[in-house]
Amino acid sequence: MSFTRITVVGLGLIGSSVARAARARIEGVQVTGYDADPEVRATAREIGLCDEIADDADAAAREADLVVLCVPVGAMGRAAADLAPALPADAIVTDVGSCKASVVEALAAALPGHVIVPAHPVAGTEQSGPTAGFATLFNHRWCILTPPEGTDPVAVDRVAGFWRALGAEVETMAPDHHDRVLAVTSHLPHLIAYTIVGTASDLEEVTQSEVIKYSAGGFRDFTRIAASDPTMWRDVFLANREAVLDMLQRFSEDLALLQRAIRWGQGDALFDHFTQTRAIRRSIVEQGQDDARADFGRTHE
Amino acid sequence: MSFTRITVVGLGLIGSSVARAARARIEGVQVTGYDADPEVRATAREIGLCDEIADDADAAAREADLVVLCVPVGAMGRAAADLAPALPADAIVTDVGSCKASVVEALAAALPGHVIVPAHPVAGTEQSGPTAGFATLFNHRWCILTPPEGTDPVAVDRVAGFWRALGAEVETMAPDHHDRVLAVTSHLPHLIAYTIVGTASDLEEVTQSEVIKYSAGGFRDFTRIAASDPTMWRDVFLANREAVLDMLQRFSEDLALLQRAIRWGQGDALFDHFTQTRAIRRSIVEQGQDDARADFGRTHE
């Protein structure tokens, strides 16, 4: 029951990785790619990303038995609506959006009567565009499915099988819970990283060149995720507003506590806090979600 | 004019890297190691870290023509005072402390009449202890010297030559300016990382196991620096309090601005901010201060 005619809509980092992984790992599959941007379509053709690149949404949808929507979450509804007229009645739709409640709603509205199995592969890099993707991006990363209640369980199984075929481990979760989990493990870290990189570039007496030169003291780790795609992240924060604002509030309270400890010279409070945070790092490395090599295995040669 | 009898005091990540680098790269040098912790001394002996491990401060100081203090910044004054009685009059003292104004003061008080050339090699990993160090840690990283006004320029040159021999590029700066630059490129990022890892582990409805599983969405990058040595970082925040609190205030203001943009759905403001931060990343990679490979070159195989 695996899919044989897959259409990938949106050929950025994630979409182009889905296309590459599907072609590399699913035997006999036909992958059609589509992107609303003609330049992206031209690049995708040039690099031979898919078996076929469609020039409009109708052509992209017509033959598909699986559609994978890989556009920013704010563009999901529109992308789905464009496909709707030509989409076969038995085609299943999945997506890769970083927040799910709003996407579930947008897709249901745009594709009434279609089977939709929303998904979020928790994987990525700081690079963007059709040339940035690679076939192994999803290997050993989690892909979270958030099927709304009442979704056909056979369709959910088939979509789970698709993501497993791409190398991912699959987990299922309610859309709202997904959005709260990701607000803390992904959205808040990105917001903080974007903020601190902005703060550092706005100082009067410390030059931009000093910030760059001495970034190895910790700052450079933040700049990687603050180099992520701006459109994608604008949409995430607008779509997952409530959960992000709540996590941000908690973060600010915790930061105020450490700020106060610094102001009042409370060394023991600082030490205790800094000790607790090491265990989480150890578990992340043990569970294969990060590189065990010191300093992210950066070269010092 | 290079040094021939170097004493390294404090054999953690940085001290053990200094010892390894000095032995690997300075011909004919004799490296003596000392650590106040007998367990660390035993480990250092076991792994053959130095030519000799001294069992007390007197023995460590007696023969040195260069002493490199590699203890937490709050312990610098005490470590220097312990060495003072046996330290040869013409020995030069340098250190590796992450903040400089307080260290300059502490060392001057503990070692009256000695030539002191404070230094800060901007390099490190999240790992600690004598087995964590490696000889190439300082390669292509900056080492900032902060000699107080009136320091013998010949001594400054010799210490600069020492750090260059270890692979570092050397820059000179006033202690106060150093502390403001590093507050933003190193101290604030560590504080933020420690905070967010704490916030994530304190949620009621998101489990620790979920935080770990889905950390690849961005969170894991923060856990690396939040796994750094707690004693070292407690001391840094206490010693560089004013600059850290000022940077923190600026960060909080900038965060409040983004928070407001999210609350009011101001997508353009978010997009503009997220676009500006990409340029800094590019410069850091171009200047060799970070890995150009996507996702820190993490393996996806």
Side-chain angles (χ1 to χ4, degrees):
Chain A
M1 285 296 280
S2 78
F3 301 98
T4 55
R5 298 179 316 281
I6 297 173
T7 290
V8 180
V9 177
L11 301 174
L13 166 70
I14 302 296
S16 71
S17 295
V18 168
R20 285 179 174 93
R23 294 179 78 193
R25 307 177 70 147
I26 304 176
E27 216 173 319
V29 78
Q30 163 88 8
V31 176
T32 300
Y34 174 65
D35 197 290
D37 182 341
E39 273 186 47
V40 172
R41 295 200 299 269
T43 304
R45 275 202 185 94
E46 234 173 79
I47 61 176
L49 182 66
C50 300
D51 297 299
E52 200 191 319
I53 300 293
D55 267 320
D56 56 55
D58 271 7
R62 204 172 295 135
E63 304 283 328
D65 59 3
L66 177 70
V67 171
V68 190
L69 295 169
C70 305
V71 299
V73 292
M76 286 286 180
R78 171 64 189 272
D82 287 348
L83 297 168
L87 195 64
D90 58 351
I92 295 177
V93 175
T94 186
D95 76 297
V96 302
S98 301
C99 39
K100 302 272 45 118
S102 69
V103 171
V104 165
E105 204 176 311
L107 296 187
L111 299 166
H114 279 282
V115 177
I116 301 160
V117 183
H120 177 203
V122 185
T125 78
E126 69 278 22
Q127 305 190 336
S128 312
T131 58
F134 51 97
T136 55
L137 178 63
F138 309 109
N139 271 3
H140 310 303
R141 293 290 168 261
W142 288 94
C143 181
I144 305 173
L145 304 187
T146 62
E149 263 182 69
T151 307
D152 172 17
V154 175
V156 175
D157 275 356
R158 290 182 69 193
V159 171
F162 168 74
W163 284 106
R164 282 197 198 97
L166 267 48
E169 319 256 352
V170 172
E171 191 61 86
T172 303
M173 215 178 265
D176 283 340
H177 186 64
H178 167 281
D179 288 358
R180 293 195 57 81
V181 172
L182 272 290
V184 70
T185 61
S186 179
H187 309 171
L188 181 60
H190 274 80
L191 190 68
I192 299 301
Y194 278 122
T195 305
I196 198 173
V197 174
T199 304
S201 50
D202 277 352
L203 298 167
E204 313 86 359
E205 90 275 44
V206 176
T207 66
Q208 194 107 314
S209 121
E210 285 175 321
V211 167
I212 290 160
K213 252 169 117 166
Y214 307 118
S215 61
F219 181 72
R220 62 179 178 183
D221 285 11
F222 289 68
T223 63
R224 192 187 72 80
I225 58 177
S228 299
D229 185 61
T231 306
M232 169 189 163
W233 283 99
R234 175 200 63 197
D235 282 9
V236 167
F237 293 121
L238 297 179
N240 199 21
R241 181 173 65 173
E242 272 179 56
V244 169
L245 290 177
D246 178 32
M247 294 304 166
L248 192 49
Q249 184 56 37
R250 290 159 184 263
F251 169 83
S252 296
E253 288 164 17
D254 294 345
L255 188 59
L257 212 70
L258 287 180
Q259 182 170 5
R260 195 173 187 284
I262 292 172
R263 193 177 301 282
W264 292 95
Q266 295 162 348
D268 291 348
L270 294 175
F271 182 85
D272 289 346
H273 186 96
F274 299 167
T275 306
Q276 286 158 18
T277 49
R278 297 188 114 175
I280 287 196
R281 173 74 189 165
R282 204 160 35 231
S283 303
I284 287 174
V285 168
E286 276 165 13
Q287 295 189 22
Q289 294 305 309
D290 208 349
D291 201 316
R293 293 169 300 163
D295 208 11
F296 291 126
R298 285 181 177 106
T299 176
H300 290 262
E301 297 311 318
Chain B
M1 283 293 279
S2 77
F3 301 98
T4 56
R5 298 180 315 282
I6 297 172
T7 289
V8 180
V9 176
L11 300 175
L13 166 69
I14 303 295
S16 71
S17 294
V18 167
R20 286 180 173 92
R23 292 178 79 193
R25 307 177 70 147
I26 305 174
E27 216 172 321
V29 78
Q30 163 88 8
V31 176
T32 299
Y34 174 66
D35 196 289
D37 181 340
E39 274 186 47
V40 172
R41 295 200 299 268
T43 304
R45 274 200 186 96
E46 234 173 77
I47 61 176
L49 182 67
C50 301
D51 298 298
E52 200 189 320
I53 300 293
D55 267 319
D56 57 56
D58 271 9
R62 204 173 293 134
E63 304 283 327
D65 58 4
L66 176 71
V67 172
V68 189
L69 295 170
C70 305
V71 299
V73 292
M76 287 285 180
R78 171 67 188 272
D82 286 349
L83 296 168
L87 195 65
D90 59 353
I92 294 176
V93 175
T94 186
D95 76 298
V96 303
S98 301
C99 40
K100 302 272 46 122
S102 69
V103 171
V104 165
E105 205 177 308
L107 296 186
L111 299 166
H114 279 281
V115 177
I116 301 161
V117 183
H120 176 203
V122 185
T125 79
E126 68 279 22
Q127 306 192 332
S128 312
T131 58
F134 49 98
T136 55
L137 178 63
F138 309 108
N139 270 4
H140 310 303
R141 294 288 168 263
W142 288 95
C143 181
I144 305 173
L145 304 187
T146 62
E149 263 182 68
T151 307
D152 172 17
V154 175
V156 175
D157 275 355
R158 289 183 68 193
V159 171
F162 168 74
W163 283 106
R164 281 196 199 97
L166 266 47
E169 319 256 352
V170 173
E171 191 62 85
T172 302
M173 217 179 265
D176 283 339
H177 186 65
H178 167 280
D179 288 357
R180 293 193 58 79
V181 172
L182 272 289
V184 70
T185 63
S186 180
H187 309 170
L188 180 60
H190 275 81
L191 190 68
I192 298 300
Y194 278 122
T195 304
I196 196 172
V197 175
T199 304
S201 51
D202 277 351
L203 298 168
E204 313 87 357
E205 90 277 43
V206 177
T207 66
Q208 195 108 314
S209 123
E210 287 174 320
V211 167
I212 291 160
K213 253 169 116 167
Y214 307 118
S215 61
F219 181 72
R220 63 179 177 183
D221 286 11
F222 290 69
T223 62
R224 193 186 71 80
I225 58 179
S228 299
D229 186 61
T231 306
M232 168 188 165
W233 284 99
R234 175 200 62 198
D235 284 8
V236 167
F237 293 120
L238 297 178
N240 198 22
R241 181 172 64 174
E242 272 179 57
V244 169
L245 289 176
D246 178 32
M247 295 303 167
L248 194 47
Q249 184 57 36
R250 289 161 185 263
F251 169 81
S252 296
E253 289 165 16
D254 293 345
L255 188 59
L257 212 69
L258 287 179
Q259 182 169 7
R260 196 173 185 284
I262 292 172
R263 193 178 299 283
W264 291 94
Q266 297 162 346
D268 291 350
L270 295 174
F271 182 85
D272 288 348
H273 185 96
F274 299 166
T275 305
Q276 287 158 17
T277 48
R278 298 187 114 174
I280 286 194
R281 173 74 190 166
R282 206 160 32 234
S283 304
I284 287 173
V285 168
E286 277 166 13
Q287 295 188 22
Q289 294 305 308
D290 207 350
D291 201 315
R293 293 169 302 161
D295 208 11
F296 291 126
R298 285 183 177 105
T299 176
H300 290 260
E301 296 311 319

